[in-house]
Amino acid sequence: MVDGVFSMDGDRADLKGLAALAEQYDAWLMVDDAHGFGVLGERGAGLCEAEELDTGQVPILMATLGKAVGVSGAFVAGSHALVETLIQRARSYIFTTAAPPALSAAVIKSLELIESEAWRRDKLQTLIAYLREQAQAKGIELMPSDTPIQPLVVGDNERARRISEALFEKGLLVPAIRPPTVPEGTARLRITLSAAHETGDIDRLLEALAPLLDATEDESPAT
Ligand SMILES: Cc1ncc(COP(=O)(O)O)c(C=O)c1O
Protein backbone atom coordinates (compact mmCIF):
# COMPACT_ATOMS: atom_id res chain seq x y z
CA MET A 1 0.00 0.00 0.00
CA VAL A 2 1.39 3.35 -0.93
CA ASP A 3 0.41 6.97 -1.39
CA GLY A 4 0.55 8.05 -5.05
CA VAL A 5 1.62 11.59 -4.21
CA PHE A 6 3.04 11.91 -0.71
CA SER A 7 0.94 14.39 1.20
CA MET A 8 3.67 16.14 3.18
CA ASP A 9 6.53 16.03 0.65
CA GLY A 10 4.64 16.36 -2.64
CA ASP A 11 6.81 13.79 -4.39
CA ARG A 12 5.50 10.75 -6.23
CA ALA A 13 5.78 7.08 -5.40
CA ASP A 14 7.73 4.90 -7.81
CA LEU A 15 4.57 3.12 -8.88
CA LYS A 16 6.16 1.32 -11.81
CA GLY A 17 8.87 -0.12 -9.56
CA LEU A 18 6.32 -1.11 -6.92
CA ALA A 19 4.05 -2.70 -9.52
CA ALA A 20 6.99 -4.76 -10.79
CA LEU A 21 7.79 -5.84 -7.21
CA ALA A 22 4.15 -6.74 -6.59
CA GLU A 23 4.14 -8.86 -9.72
CA GLN A 24 7.37 -10.58 -8.72
CA TYR A 25 5.94 -11.54 -5.32
CA ASP A 26 2.39 -12.22 -6.54
CA ALA A 27 1.09 -9.42 -4.31
CA TRP A 28 -1.59 -6.80 -4.86
CA LEU A 29 -0.62 -3.18 -5.03
CA MET A 30 -2.98 -0.63 -3.48
CA VAL A 31 -2.51 3.07 -4.25
CA ASP A 32 -4.00 5.90 -2.20
CA ASP A 33 -3.97 8.66 -4.79
CA ALA A 34 -5.67 11.32 -2.65
CA HIS A 35 -3.31 13.99 -3.98
CA GLY A 36 -2.87 12.73 -7.54
CA PHE A 37 -6.48 12.10 -8.50
CA GLY A 38 -7.84 15.00 -10.56
CA VAL A 39 -4.39 16.55 -10.75
CA LEU A 40 -2.16 14.15 -12.68
CA GLY A 41 -2.65 12.27 -15.94
CA GLU A 42 -4.09 13.44 -19.27
CA ARG A 43 -7.65 12.91 -18.11
CA GLY A 44 -6.97 13.63 -14.48
CA ALA A 45 -7.27 10.01 -13.39
CA GLY A 46 -4.15 10.43 -11.29
CA LEU A 47 -0.70 8.95 -10.96
CA CYS A 48 -1.69 5.51 -12.30
CA GLU A 49 -2.82 7.16 -15.52
CA ALA A 50 0.30 9.32 -15.66
CA GLU A 51 2.47 6.21 -15.21
CA GLU A 52 0.35 4.21 -17.67
CA LEU A 53 -0.44 1.49 -15.16
CA ASP A 54 -3.50 -0.68 -15.65
CA THR A 55 -5.90 -2.38 -13.26
CA GLY A 56 -3.84 -5.57 -13.41
CA GLN A 57 -0.80 -3.70 -12.07
CA VAL A 58 -2.82 -1.66 -9.55
CA PRO A 59 -5.77 -3.83 -8.54
CA ILE A 60 -6.84 -1.45 -5.73
CA LEU A 61 -7.00 2.26 -6.35
CA MET A 62 -8.46 4.61 -3.82
CA ALA A 63 -8.67 8.37 -3.71
CA THR A 64 -10.46 10.93 -1.65
CA LEU A 65 -13.22 13.18 -2.91
CA GLY A 66 -12.32 16.06 -0.60
CA LYS A 67 -9.37 17.38 -2.56
CA ALA A 68 -9.45 17.87 -6.36
CA VAL A 69 -13.02 16.54 -6.54
CA GLY A 70 -14.09 19.31 -4.20
CA VAL A 71 -16.60 17.56 -1.94
CA SER A 72 -15.94 14.92 0.74
CA GLY A 73 -15.69 11.17 1.08
CA ALA A 74 -13.55 8.72 -0.82
CA PHE A 75 -13.76 5.79 -3.22
CA VAL A 76 -12.16 2.43 -3.72
CA ALA A 77 -11.95 1.15 -7.28
CA GLY A 78 -11.21 -2.46 -8.06
CA SER A 79 -12.68 -5.70 -9.31
CA HIS A 80 -16.32 -6.52 -8.72
CA ALA A 81 -15.28 -9.20 -6.21
CA LEU A 82 -13.15 -6.70 -4.28
CA VAL A 83 -15.86 -4.03 -4.16
CA GLU A 84 -18.54 -6.55 -3.19
CA THR A 85 -16.30 -7.93 -0.42
CA LEU A 86 -15.76 -4.40 0.95
CA ILE A 87 -19.49 -3.65 0.87
CA GLN A 88 -20.27 -6.86 2.72
CA ARG A 89 -17.31 -6.98 5.10
CA ALA A 90 -15.76 -3.57 5.69
CA ARG A 91 -16.58 -2.75 9.31
CA SER A 92 -16.59 0.98 8.66
CA TYR A 93 -19.36 0.47 6.06
CA ILE A 94 -21.74 -1.64 8.11
CA PHE A 95 -24.42 0.39 10.00
CA THR A 96 -23.17 3.62 8.44
CA THR A 97 -25.58 5.92 6.60
CA ALA A 98 -24.83 5.92 2.89
CA ALA A 99 -23.50 9.08 1.24
CA PRO A 100 -26.47 11.22 0.12
CA PRO A 101 -27.53 11.41 -3.57
CA ALA A 102 -26.61 15.10 -3.64
CA LEU A 103 -23.00 14.13 -2.97
CA SER A 104 -23.10 11.62 -5.81
CA ALA A 105 -24.50 14.28 -8.14
CA ALA A 106 -21.73 16.68 -7.17
CA VAL A 107 -19.09 13.97 -7.65
CA ILE A 108 -20.45 13.08 -11.11
CA LYS A 109 -20.27 16.74 -12.11
CA SER A 110 -16.75 17.07 -10.70
CA LEU A 111 -15.62 14.00 -12.63
CA GLU A 112 -17.05 15.48 -15.83
CA LEU A 113 -15.14 18.72 -15.21
CA ILE A 114 -11.93 16.92 -14.25
CA GLU A 115 -12.02 14.86 -17.41
CA SER A 116 -13.10 17.54 -19.87
CA GLU A 117 -11.41 20.68 -18.52
CA ALA A 118 -7.73 19.89 -18.66
CA TRP A 119 -6.93 23.60 -18.54
CA ARG A 120 -7.00 23.47 -14.74
CA ARG A 121 -4.23 20.88 -14.72
CA ASP A 122 -2.27 22.83 -17.33
CA LYS A 123 -2.66 26.00 -15.29
CA LEU A 124 -1.52 24.19 -12.16
CA GLN A 125 1.63 23.01 -13.92
CA THR A 126 2.31 26.59 -15.05
CA LEU A 127 1.83 27.85 -11.49
CA ILE A 128 4.07 25.12 -10.06
CA ALA A 129 6.84 25.97 -12.53
CA TYR A 130 6.43 29.70 -11.80
CA LEU A 131 6.58 29.20 -8.04
CA ARG A 132 9.70 27.04 -8.24
CA GLU A 133 11.44 29.43 -10.62
CA GLN A 134 10.62 32.53 -8.60
CA ALA A 135 11.49 30.84 -5.29
CA GLN A 136 14.85 29.78 -6.65
CA ALA A 137 15.53 33.31 -7.89
CA LYS A 138 14.94 34.53 -4.34
CA GLY A 139 17.16 31.80 -2.85
CA ILE A 140 14.20 29.97 -1.31
CA GLU A 141 14.83 26.26 -1.61
CA LEU A 142 11.66 24.19 -1.97
CA MET A 143 11.63 20.42 -1.60
CA PRO A 144 11.89 18.52 -4.90
CA SER A 145 8.28 18.20 -6.07
CA ASP A 146 6.41 18.66 -9.32
CA THR A 147 2.96 18.46 -7.76
CA PRO A 148 0.86 21.25 -6.22
CA ILE A 149 2.29 20.34 -2.78
CA GLN A 150 5.45 22.47 -2.57
CA PRO A 151 6.90 22.22 0.92
CA LEU A 152 9.58 24.51 2.29
CA VAL A 153 11.51 22.86 5.10
CA VAL A 154 12.43 25.34 7.85
CA GLY A 155 13.53 22.72 10.38
CA ASP A 156 12.57 24.32 13.64
CA ASN A 157 8.98 23.78 14.87
CA GLU A 158 8.58 27.19 16.45
CA ARG A 159 10.06 28.97 13.45
CA ALA A 160 7.63 27.17 11.13
CA ARG A 161 4.69 28.09 13.37
CA ARG A 162 5.72 31.73 13.58
CA ILE A 163 6.23 32.15 9.85
CA SER A 164 2.90 30.44 9.16
CA GLU A 165 1.12 32.79 11.58
CA ALA A 166 2.76 35.86 10.09
CA LEU A 167 1.71 34.74 6.61
CA PHE A 168 -1.83 34.15 7.85
CA GLU A 169 -1.95 37.71 9.14
CA LYS A 170 -1.13 38.81 5.61
CA GLY A 171 -4.00 36.72 4.23
CA LEU A 172 -1.84 33.79 3.10
CA LEU A 173 -2.80 30.30 4.23
CA VAL A 174 0.37 28.22 4.48
CA PRO A 175 0.11 25.67 7.30
CA ALA A 176 3.12 24.78 9.46
CA ILE A 177 3.53 21.02 9.45
CA ARG A 178 5.44 19.69 12.42
CA PRO A 179 6.40 16.31 13.92
CA PRO A 180 4.93 13.75 14.35
CA THR A 181 3.29 14.43 10.97
CA VAL A 182 6.79 14.80 9.49
CA PRO A 183 10.16 13.57 10.87
CA GLU A 184 11.84 15.46 13.74
CA GLY A 185 13.83 18.48 12.60
CA THR A 186 11.95 18.82 9.31
CA ALA A 187 9.11 21.17 10.28
CA ARG A 188 7.92 22.81 7.12
CA LEU A 189 5.64 25.30 5.49
CA ARG A 190 3.27 23.35 3.27
CA ILE A 191 2.67 25.57 0.28
CA THR A 192 -0.22 24.17 -1.74
CA LEU A 193 -1.23 25.56 -5.09
CA SER A 194 -4.64 25.28 -6.68
CA ALA A 195 -5.94 26.10 -10.16
CA ALA A 196 -7.79 29.02 -8.56
CA HIS A 197 -4.48 30.75 -7.82
CA GLU A 198 -2.84 33.28 -10.11
CA THR A 199 0.83 34.14 -10.59
CA GLY A 200 0.14 37.35 -8.65
CA ASP A 201 -0.75 35.22 -5.60
CA ILE A 202 2.63 33.53 -5.87
CA ASP A 203 4.41 36.88 -6.12
CA ARG A 204 2.54 38.00 -3.01
CA LEU A 205 3.51 34.84 -1.15
CA LEU A 206 7.19 35.06 -2.01
CA GLU A 207 7.36 38.76 -1.23
CA ALA A 208 5.91 38.07 2.21
CA LEU A 209 7.96 34.94 2.77
CA ALA A 210 11.47 36.12 1.94
CA PRO A 211 11.78 38.71 4.77
CA LEU A 212 10.15 36.32 7.26
CA LEU A 213 12.70 33.64 6.44
CA ASP A 214 15.55 36.14 6.82
CA ALA A 215 14.16 37.52 10.09
CA THR A 216 13.92 34.06 11.66
CA GLU A 217 17.12 32.60 10.24
CA ASP A 218 19.23 32.58 13.41
CA GLU A 219 16.64 31.15 15.76
CA SER A 220 17.73 28.40 18.09
CA PRO A 221 16.56 24.87 17.30
CA ALA A 222 13.23 23.61 18.63
CA THR A 223 13.06 21.94 22.00
C1 LIG B 1 -2.86 10.26 1.18
C2 LIG B 1 -4.12 10.63 1.90
N1 LIG B 1 -5.12 9.74 1.99
C3 LIG B 1 -6.27 10.03 2.63
C4 LIG B 1 -6.47 11.25 3.23
C5 LIG B 1 -7.75 11.52 3.96
O1 LIG B 1 -8.60 12.34 3.28
P1 LIG B 1 -10.00 12.79 3.89
O2 LIG B 1 -9.71 14.04 4.63
O3 LIG B 1 -10.86 13.02 2.70
O4 LIG B 1 -10.48 11.70 4.78
C6 LIG B 1 -5.46 12.21 3.17
C7 LIG B 1 -5.67 13.54 3.78
O5 LIG B 1 -5.01 14.49 3.52
C8 LIG B 1 -4.26 11.89 2.50
O6 LIG B 1 -3.26 12.78 2.44
Side-chain angles (χ1 to χ4, degrees), residues 3 5 7 32 34-35 62 64-67 72-74 190:
D3 285 14
V5 172
S7 59
D32 174 347
H35 298 278
M62 67 141 289
T64 58
L65 303 173
K67 303 183 195 300
S72 76
R190 187 175 183 262

